[in-house]
Every structure is written in structure tokens, then in C-alpha cells.
Amino acid sequence: QIQNNSKEGKDDITNISTEMATVSNSNVNNDESIKIAHVYFIDPSVVSFFMHQLSINDEDDIDEMISLCQGWGIQNDVKPIKDDERSIKLSATMLIVPINDNHSASSISFQTPGGGSHWSLLVVLSFNIDVPAGTSETDNLRNLSLTFFHFDSSFGYNTSTARSVAEKIHAMVFIQHSKLKKTNNLLKITECNVPQQQNGYDCGVHTLATVNVISKAQNIVIRGGSKEIHNLQNEIKCYFESLVRGFMLRFESVTIMASTIKKSIVKDIHEMAAIASA
């Protein structure tokens, strides 16, 4: 069961989008927004591939890693983004990375069918700080910073696996920028407090619910306009937590939530199929 104090809108997955838009359009005091420029979903098989098949110490694998990162848009999207007549001071590319406890297992263990027993979610934000026109690409890339947020419905269970995946992504992103390796912020994973599963098998539903909510975020409001990337983790953590809790607590049970998410996914698939065939 999911503790629920709200009786309205329990089955409406779209209501959360309206709430996010209301929060995102807030102009209180000196609040600033982090614009989510792009969202990329990393297939679990891709995570397994770079965790078990690619090594940062193998020269033959470096090109493959660089290609993966460029496909995620991390290293290409480093220019300031303009929105109407003002320059947004912060923009970010979001990577949504499903985490399975078998991702950190040995390559031999991973080849065993049925391996892995728990799912959680790692969200990676690649920040691109607005820089003056004419700034060189090297200096621009110095403003690239990664932050990691982990959502686990069985708190602590996938912490070590999430760190292993985060460390690999971090190394892949900066592998071709040797000058940045020493100046980049230390890798930190922020563990988010989200509703917890009450059994041993609802981790997948909780993970899908978190994906549904987080992937719809277009702007993250920073109260008071914090300036430094390394000081933003707590503000973003609170924002993400409020979105996830606000959605999950609408439902009286995980079963109802799962049914709603399933309908939303089917609808999205049909819409994408219609666009592809147009």
C-alpha cells in the first residue's frame, strides 16, 4: 500500500505535468530555472554493455565510449541556450539510467540468465553554464559538470551498483578531455528520499513511476538563484523528491499506480508509432 492523503486525481498521470508547469513558471524573488534541454533514456542493455564490455584502460574501447557519450548529447550541447530575449544561466542534459544490481556484477556472472533482483533509477544531469560569446571550446567544456541522483524504492540496496555505473559514466564523459580530469568536481551521488516498496517485487513499478515523473520535468526552479553548480544538489534533490512523492501518493495502491503507468506507456507508444508512420 502507498500512504495517500489525497482523494482527488489519484488516477490521472497528467495532473503532475500541470503542477510542474506551475512550479516552473514561478518568478518569486530571484528564483532561476535550470532548463532541461534534452532527455535521453539509456537502455539497460546499453548500461550492461559499457559496464561489462568496455574498459577505460583499453585503447580500442575509447572511441566506442566517446561515440556513446556524443550519442547522449553530453559533449555536443555546451553552448548557451537562448529562451526568447534572455539567456538562461543554466541548462542541462538529462540522462535517465535504469540500474539493476547485476550491472556491477562480473562479466561472467552477468552472462548467467536470470541474474539481478532489484531495479532503481539513476538520473544524470550534465550542466552547461552560460559563458560569454567567443569563448573557446576548451574553456566552454570547463563549464561542463555532471551531477548524479539516485532513486531507490528499497533505500540503500542499489547504492553500490549506482555508484559503479556513475563512476563509469563519469570516466567515459571526460576520457577525451585530460585537462578536465583534474579540475572537474568530485563525483557525488545524491540519494533521494522516495516512497518505499512494501514487498520484494514492486521495484520495477516504483522505477517506472519515477521515470514517468522525472522525464517530464522541463525546468527546475532554484529558489533564491543559487550560482554554483556544487551548491545545487540539495535544491534539485528536493525538487525531484517533491515530484515523485506528489505523484505516487495520489494512488491508494501500487496496483492502481501500475495500471495507470501501463496505460500511459501504451498511449505514448501509439503516439510515437503514429508520428513515425506519418
Side-chain angles (χ1 to χ4, degrees), residues 104-154:
S104 62
S106 67
S107 58
I108 296 177
S109 174
F110 179 75
Q111 294 172 8
T112 303
S117 60
H118 184 62
W119 289 98
S120 59
L121 189 72
L122 182 69
V123 171
V124 186
L125 289 182
S126 170
F127 286 103
N128 305 306
I129 304 174
D130 197 3
V131 295
T135 302
S136 69
E137 181 179 4
T138 300
D139 289 338
N140 205 352
L141 281 169
R142 288 185 183 280
N143 292 285
L144 178 63
S145 179
L146 300 183
T147 56
F148 299 83
F149 300 87
H150 186 222
F151 303 81
D152 194 340
S153 60
S154 183

Short mmCIF file of all heavy atoms in Angstrom, two decimals, residues 104-154:
data_model
loop_
_atom_site.label_atom_id
_atom_site.label_comp_id
_atom_site.label_asym_id
_atom_site.label_seq_id
_atom_site.Cartn_x
_atom_site.Cartn_y
_atom_site.Cartn_z
N SER A 104 26.72 -4.26 -11.76
CA SER A 104 28.05 -4.19 -11.17
C SER A 104 28.65 -5.57 -10.94
O SER A 104 29.73 -5.69 -10.37
CB SER A 104 27.99 -3.44 -9.83
OG SER A 104 27.18 -4.12 -8.90
N ALA A 105 27.95 -6.60 -11.39
CA ALA A 105 28.47 -7.95 -11.24
C ALA A 105 29.58 -8.20 -12.25
O ALA A 105 29.80 -7.42 -13.18
CB ALA A 105 27.35 -8.97 -11.43
N SER A 106 30.30 -9.30 -12.08
CA SER A 106 31.35 -9.65 -13.03
C SER A 106 30.73 -10.00 -14.38
O SER A 106 29.54 -10.33 -14.47
CB SER A 106 32.15 -10.85 -12.51
OG SER A 106 31.34 -12.01 -12.50
N SER A 107 31.52 -9.91 -15.45
CA SER A 107 31.02 -10.24 -16.77
C SER A 107 30.55 -11.68 -16.85
O SER A 107 29.61 -12.01 -17.57
CB SER A 107 32.10 -9.97 -17.83
OG SER A 107 33.26 -10.73 -17.56
N ILE A 108 31.19 -12.56 -16.11
CA ILE A 108 30.80 -13.97 -16.10
C ILE A 108 29.44 -14.13 -15.42
O ILE A 108 28.54 -14.82 -15.91
CB ILE A 108 31.86 -14.84 -15.38
CG1 ILE A 108 33.18 -14.80 -16.16
CG2 ILE A 108 31.36 -16.27 -15.23
CD1 ILE A 108 34.29 -15.58 -15.48
N SER A 109 29.27 -13.44 -14.27
CA SER A 109 28.01 -13.51 -13.55
C SER A 109 26.89 -12.92 -14.38
O SER A 109 25.76 -13.43 -14.38
CB SER A 109 28.12 -12.76 -12.23
OG SER A 109 26.86 -12.69 -11.59
N PHE A 110 27.19 -11.86 -15.13
CA PHE A 110 26.17 -11.20 -15.92
C PHE A 110 25.63 -12.11 -17.02
O PHE A 110 24.48 -11.99 -17.43
CB PHE A 110 26.73 -9.91 -16.55
CG PHE A 110 25.72 -9.20 -17.41
CD1 PHE A 110 24.68 -8.48 -16.82
CD2 PHE A 110 25.79 -9.25 -18.79
CE1 PHE A 110 23.74 -7.83 -17.60
CE2 PHE A 110 24.84 -8.60 -19.57
CZ PHE A 110 23.83 -7.88 -18.98
N GLN A 111 26.46 -13.02 -17.50
CA GLN A 111 26.05 -13.92 -18.57
C GLN A 111 25.11 -15.01 -18.08
O GLN A 111 24.54 -15.75 -18.87
CB GLN A 111 27.28 -14.55 -19.22
CG GLN A 111 28.16 -13.54 -19.96
CD GLN A 111 29.48 -14.15 -20.43
OE1 GLN A 111 29.68 -15.35 -20.33
NE2 GLN A 111 30.36 -13.32 -20.93
N THR A 112 24.93 -15.11 -16.76
CA THR A 112 24.04 -16.12 -16.20
C THR A 112 22.59 -15.64 -16.30
O THR A 112 22.25 -14.58 -15.78
CB THR A 112 24.37 -16.37 -14.72
OG1 THR A 112 25.74 -16.77 -14.60
CG2 THR A 112 23.47 -17.47 -14.16
N PRO A 113 21.73 -16.38 -17.01
CA PRO A 113 20.32 -15.97 -17.17
C PRO A 113 19.63 -15.80 -15.82
O PRO A 113 19.87 -16.54 -14.87
CB PRO A 113 19.71 -17.15 -17.95
CG PRO A 113 20.86 -17.77 -18.66
CD PRO A 113 22.03 -17.63 -17.71
N GLY A 114 18.79 -14.77 -15.72
CA GLY A 114 18.04 -14.54 -14.50
C GLY A 114 18.81 -13.79 -13.44
O GLY A 114 18.31 -13.64 -12.31
N GLY A 115 20.00 -13.31 -13.75
CA GLY A 115 20.78 -12.57 -12.77
C GLY A 115 20.15 -11.23 -12.47
O GLY A 115 19.49 -10.63 -13.30
N GLY A 116 20.36 -10.73 -11.27
CA GLY A 116 19.81 -9.44 -10.89
C GLY A 116 18.46 -9.58 -10.23
O GLY A 116 17.63 -10.39 -10.67
N SER A 117 18.23 -8.80 -9.18
CA SER A 117 16.97 -8.94 -8.45
C SER A 117 16.33 -7.61 -8.06
O SER A 117 15.26 -7.61 -7.45
CB SER A 117 17.22 -9.75 -7.16
OG SER A 117 18.17 -9.09 -6.33
N HIS A 118 16.95 -6.48 -8.40
CA HIS A 118 16.39 -5.21 -7.95
C HIS A 118 16.67 -4.10 -8.96
O HIS A 118 17.77 -4.00 -9.52
CB HIS A 118 17.00 -4.81 -6.60
CG HIS A 118 16.40 -3.57 -6.01
ND1 HIS A 118 15.07 -3.45 -5.68
CD2 HIS A 118 16.97 -2.37 -5.70
CE1 HIS A 118 14.85 -2.25 -5.18
NE2 HIS A 118 15.98 -1.57 -5.19
N TRP A 119 15.64 -3.25 -9.19
CA TRP A 119 15.75 -2.10 -10.09
C TRP A 119 15.65 -0.80 -9.30
O TRP A 119 14.87 -0.70 -8.35
CB TRP A 119 14.64 -2.11 -11.15
CG TRP A 119 14.78 -3.18 -12.18
CD1 TRP A 119 14.14 -4.39 -12.20
CD2 TRP A 119 15.60 -3.14 -13.35
NE1 TRP A 119 14.52 -5.11 -13.31
CE2 TRP A 119 15.41 -4.37 -14.05
CE3 TRP A 119 16.48 -2.20 -13.90
CZ2 TRP A 119 16.06 -4.68 -15.23
CZ3 TRP A 119 17.13 -2.50 -15.08
CH2 TRP A 119 16.92 -3.72 -15.74
N SER A 120 16.44 0.18 -9.71
CA SER A 120 16.34 1.53 -9.19
C SER A 120 16.64 2.48 -10.35
O SER A 120 16.76 2.03 -11.49
CB SER A 120 17.31 1.76 -8.02
OG SER A 120 18.64 1.54 -8.41
N LEU A 121 16.75 3.77 -10.08
CA LEU A 121 16.94 4.73 -11.16
C LEU A 121 18.05 5.72 -10.83
O LEU A 121 18.09 6.29 -9.74
CB LEU A 121 15.65 5.50 -11.43
CG LEU A 121 15.66 6.37 -12.69
CD1 LEU A 121 15.63 5.50 -13.94
CD2 LEU A 121 14.49 7.34 -12.70
N LEU A 122 18.94 5.92 -11.79
CA LEU A 122 19.99 6.93 -11.69
C LEU A 122 19.70 8.03 -12.70
O LEU A 122 19.51 7.75 -13.89
CB LEU A 122 21.36 6.31 -11.98
CG LEU A 122 22.58 7.23 -11.85
CD1 LEU A 122 22.82 7.61 -10.40
CD2 LEU A 122 23.83 6.54 -12.42
N VAL A 123 19.62 9.25 -12.23
CA VAL A 123 19.41 10.40 -13.12
C VAL A 123 20.69 11.22 -13.14
O VAL A 123 21.22 11.61 -12.09
CB VAL A 123 18.23 11.27 -12.64
CG1 VAL A 123 18.15 12.57 -13.45
CG2 VAL A 123 16.92 10.49 -12.78
N VAL A 124 21.19 11.47 -14.34
CA VAL A 124 22.43 12.23 -14.52
C VAL A 124 22.09 13.56 -15.16
O VAL A 124 21.44 13.60 -16.21
CB VAL A 124 23.44 11.48 -15.41
CG1 VAL A 124 24.77 12.23 -15.45
CG2 VAL A 124 23.62 10.05 -14.93
N LEU A 125 22.49 14.65 -14.53
CA LEU A 125 22.32 15.97 -15.12
C LEU A 125 23.68 16.48 -15.56
O LEU A 125 24.61 16.58 -14.76
CB LEU A 125 21.70 16.94 -14.12
CG LEU A 125 20.23 16.72 -13.76
CD1 LEU A 125 19.76 17.81 -12.80
CD2 LEU A 125 19.35 16.72 -15.01
N SER A 126 23.80 16.77 -16.84
CA SER A 126 25.01 17.35 -17.40
C SER A 126 24.77 18.85 -17.55
O SER A 126 24.03 19.29 -18.43
CB SER A 126 25.31 16.71 -18.76
OG SER A 126 26.34 17.41 -19.43
N PHE A 127 25.37 19.63 -16.65
CA PHE A 127 25.16 21.07 -16.65
C PHE A 127 26.06 21.77 -17.65
O PHE A 127 27.23 21.43 -17.80
CB PHE A 127 25.45 21.66 -15.26
CG PHE A 127 24.41 21.35 -14.25
CD1 PHE A 127 24.63 20.37 -13.30
CD2 PHE A 127 23.22 22.03 -14.25
CE1 PHE A 127 23.67 20.07 -12.35
CE2 PHE A 127 22.24 21.75 -13.30
CZ PHE A 127 22.47 20.77 -12.35
N ASN A 128 25.50 22.77 -18.29
CA ASN A 128 26.27 23.62 -19.19
C ASN A 128 26.05 25.07 -18.78
O ASN A 128 24.97 25.63 -18.95
CB ASN A 128 25.82 23.42 -20.64
CG ASN A 128 25.90 21.96 -21.04
OD1 ASN A 128 26.94 21.34 -20.92
ND2 ASN A 128 24.78 21.40 -21.50
N ILE A 129 27.06 25.68 -18.17
CA ILE A 129 26.94 27.04 -17.67
C ILE A 129 27.05 28.04 -18.81
O ILE A 129 27.90 27.91 -19.69
CB ILE A 129 28.03 27.33 -16.62
CG1 ILE A 129 27.96 26.28 -15.50
CG2 ILE A 129 27.87 28.73 -16.05
CD1 ILE A 129 29.08 26.39 -14.50
N ASP A 130 26.18 29.03 -18.80
CA ASP A 130 26.21 30.07 -19.81
C ASP A 130 27.55 30.80 -19.77
O ASP A 130 28.01 31.23 -18.71
CB ASP A 130 25.08 31.07 -19.55
CG ASP A 130 24.79 31.93 -20.77
OD1 ASP A 130 25.41 31.71 -21.81
OD2 ASP A 130 23.91 32.81 -20.66
N VAL A 131 28.21 30.93 -20.93
CA VAL A 131 29.51 31.59 -20.99
C VAL A 131 29.47 32.69 -22.04
O VAL A 131 28.63 32.68 -22.93
CB VAL A 131 30.62 30.58 -21.34
CG1 VAL A 131 30.77 29.56 -20.24
CG2 VAL A 131 30.33 29.88 -22.66
N PRO A 132 30.36 33.68 -21.96
CA PRO A 132 30.36 34.78 -22.92
C PRO A 132 30.60 34.31 -24.34
O PRO A 132 31.24 33.30 -24.59
CB PRO A 132 31.52 35.66 -22.43
CG PRO A 132 31.71 35.29 -21.00
CD PRO A 132 31.38 33.83 -20.93
N ALA A 133 30.06 35.07 -25.30
CA ALA A 133 30.28 34.76 -26.71
C ALA A 133 31.76 34.83 -27.04
O ALA A 133 32.49 35.65 -26.50
CB ALA A 133 29.50 35.76 -27.58
N GLY A 134 32.21 33.95 -27.92
CA GLY A 134 33.60 33.93 -28.32
C GLY A 134 34.48 33.07 -27.45
O GLY A 134 35.69 32.95 -27.68
N THR A 135 33.90 32.44 -26.42
CA THR A 135 34.69 31.58 -25.54
C THR A 135 35.13 30.34 -26.31
O THR A 135 34.36 29.76 -27.06
CB THR A 135 33.85 31.15 -24.32
OG1 THR A 135 33.42 32.32 -23.64
CG2 THR A 135 34.68 30.29 -23.38
N SER A 136 36.38 29.95 -26.13
CA SER A 136 36.89 28.78 -26.85
C SER A 136 36.18 27.53 -26.39
O SER A 136 35.61 27.46 -25.29
CB SER A 136 38.39 28.62 -26.61
OG SER A 136 38.63 28.25 -25.25
N GLU A 137 36.19 26.49 -27.23
CA GLU A 137 35.53 25.24 -26.91
C GLU A 137 36.13 24.62 -25.64
O GLU A 137 35.42 24.08 -24.80
CB GLU A 137 35.64 24.24 -28.06
CG GLU A 137 34.94 22.92 -27.79
CD GLU A 137 35.04 21.96 -28.95
OE1 GLU A 137 35.73 22.29 -29.95
OE2 GLU A 137 34.45 20.87 -28.87
N THR A 138 37.46 24.73 -25.50
CA THR A 138 38.11 24.15 -24.32
C THR A 138 37.62 24.81 -23.05
O THR A 138 37.26 24.15 -22.08
CB THR A 138 39.64 24.30 -24.41
OG1 THR A 138 40.10 23.63 -25.58
CG2 THR A 138 40.30 23.70 -23.18
N ASP A 139 37.57 26.17 -23.05
CA ASP A 139 37.09 26.88 -21.87
C ASP A 139 35.62 26.60 -21.63
O ASP A 139 35.16 26.52 -20.49
CB ASP A 139 37.31 28.38 -22.03
CG ASP A 139 38.79 28.75 -21.93
OD1 ASP A 139 39.54 27.96 -21.35
OD2 ASP A 139 39.17 29.80 -22.45
N ASN A 140 34.86 26.46 -22.73
CA ASN A 140 33.44 26.16 -22.61
C ASN A 140 33.23 24.81 -21.95
O ASN A 140 32.38 24.64 -21.08
CB ASN A 140 32.80 26.18 -24.00
CG ASN A 140 31.31 26.48 -23.94
OD1 ASN A 140 30.73 26.53 -22.87
ND2 ASN A 140 30.70 26.67 -25.08
N LEU A 141 34.04 23.84 -22.35
CA LEU A 141 33.91 22.50 -21.79
C LEU A 141 34.29 22.47 -20.31
O LEU A 141 33.87 21.57 -19.58
CB LEU A 141 34.78 21.51 -22.57
CG LEU A 141 34.19 21.01 -23.89
CD1 LEU A 141 35.25 20.26 -24.69
CD2 LEU A 141 32.99 20.11 -23.65
N ARG A 142 35.08 23.45 -19.87
CA ARG A 142 35.41 23.50 -18.45
C ARG A 142 34.17 23.78 -17.60
O ARG A 142 34.18 23.58 -16.39
CB ARG A 142 36.48 24.58 -18.19
CG ARG A 142 37.85 24.20 -18.71
CD ARG A 142 38.90 25.25 -18.33
NE ARG A 142 40.19 24.91 -18.89
CZ ARG A 142 41.02 24.03 -18.38
NH1 ARG A 142 40.67 23.38 -17.29
NH2 ARG A 142 42.19 23.78 -18.94
N ASN A 143 33.13 24.28 -18.25
CA ASN A 143 31.89 24.56 -17.54
C ASN A 143 30.93 23.38 -17.57
O ASN A 143 29.79 23.51 -17.14
CB ASN A 143 31.23 25.80 -18.14
CG ASN A 143 32.03 27.06 -17.88
OD1 ASN A 143 32.04 27.58 -16.77
ND2 ASN A 143 32.72 27.53 -18.89
N LEU A 144 31.37 22.26 -18.12
CA LEU A 144 30.56 21.05 -18.13
C LEU A 144 30.72 20.32 -16.81
O LEU A 144 31.83 20.06 -16.36
CB LEU A 144 30.99 20.14 -19.29
CG LEU A 144 30.27 18.80 -19.44
CD1 LEU A 144 28.80 19.02 -19.74
CD2 LEU A 144 30.91 17.99 -20.55
N SER A 145 29.63 20.00 -16.16
CA SER A 145 29.69 19.36 -14.85
C SER A 145 28.58 18.32 -14.75
O SER A 145 27.45 18.56 -15.19
CB SER A 145 29.52 20.41 -13.75
OG SER A 145 29.55 19.81 -12.48
N LEU A 146 28.90 17.17 -14.17
CA LEU A 146 27.91 16.10 -14.02
C LEU A 146 27.46 16.00 -12.57
O LEU A 146 28.27 16.08 -11.65
CB LEU A 146 28.51 14.76 -14.44
CG LEU A 146 28.99 14.61 -15.88
CD1 LEU A 146 29.48 13.18 -16.11
CD2 LEU A 146 27.90 14.96 -16.88
N THR A 147 26.16 15.81 -12.36
CA THR A 147 25.63 15.53 -11.04
C THR A 147 24.73 14.30 -11.15
O THR A 147 24.06 14.10 -12.16
CB THR A 147 24.83 16.70 -10.46
OG1 THR A 147 23.78 17.06 -11.37
CG2 THR A 147 25.72 17.91 -10.22
N PHE A 148 24.73 13.49 -10.10
CA PHE A 148 24.03 12.21 -10.12
C PHE A 148 23.01 12.14 -8.98
O PHE A 148 23.31 12.49 -7.84
CB PHE A 148 25.03 11.06 -9.97
CG PHE A 148 26.07 10.99 -11.05
CD1 PHE A 148 27.21 11.77 -10.98
CD2 PHE A 148 25.91 10.15 -12.14
CE1 PHE A 148 28.18 11.72 -11.98
CE2 PHE A 148 26.87 10.09 -13.14
CZ PHE A 148 28.01 10.87 -13.06
N PHE A 149 21.80 11.65 -9.32
CA PHE A 149 20.73 11.50 -8.35
C PHE A 149 20.20 10.07 -8.44
O PHE A 149 19.86 9.60 -9.52
CB PHE A 149 19.61 12.51 -8.60
CG PHE A 149 20.05 13.95 -8.53
CD1 PHE A 149 20.57 14.58 -9.65
CD2 PHE A 149 19.97 14.65 -7.33
CE1 PHE A 149 21.01 15.90 -9.58
CE2 PHE A 149 20.41 15.97 -7.25
CZ PHE A 149 20.93 16.59 -8.38
N HIS A 150 20.12 9.41 -7.28
CA HIS A 150 19.71 8.00 -7.26
C HIS A 150 18.38 7.86 -6.52
O HIS A 150 18.21 8.38 -5.42
CB HIS A 150 20.78 7.15 -6.57
CG HIS A 150 20.51 5.69 -6.62
ND1 HIS A 150 20.72 4.85 -5.54
CD2 HIS A 150 20.05 4.89 -7.63
CE1 HIS A 150 20.40 3.61 -5.89
NE2 HIS A 150 19.99 3.61 -7.13
N PHE A 151 17.45 7.13 -7.16
CA PHE A 151 16.11 6.90 -6.60
C PHE A 151 15.95 5.40 -6.38
O PHE A 151 15.89 4.63 -7.34
CB PHE A 151 15.03 7.41 -7.56
CG PHE A 151 15.16 8.86 -7.93
CD1 PHE A 151 16.06 9.27 -8.92
CD2 PHE A 151 14.39 9.83 -7.29
CE1 PHE A 151 16.18 10.60 -9.26
CE2 PHE A 151 14.51 11.17 -7.63
CZ PHE A 151 15.41 11.56 -8.62
N ASP A 152 15.85 4.99 -5.13
CA ASP A 152 15.79 3.57 -4.80
C ASP A 152 14.61 3.32 -3.87
O ASP A 152 14.56 3.86 -2.76
CB ASP A 152 17.11 3.13 -4.13
CG ASP A 152 17.26 1.62 -4.08
OD1 ASP A 152 16.25 0.91 -4.19
OD2 ASP A 152 18.41 1.16 -3.92
N SER A 153 13.67 2.49 -4.31
CA SER A 153 12.48 2.19 -3.51
C SER A 153 12.79 1.22 -2.37
O SER A 153 11.93 0.94 -1.54
CB SER A 153 11.36 1.63 -4.39
OG SER A 153 11.78 0.43 -5.03
N SER A 154 14.00 0.69 -2.35
CA SER A 154 14.50 -0.09 -1.22
C SER A 154 15.82 0.56 -0.82
O SER A 154 16.90 0.13 -1.22
CB SER A 154 14.70 -1.57 -1.60
OG SER A 154 15.11 -2.33 -0.49
#
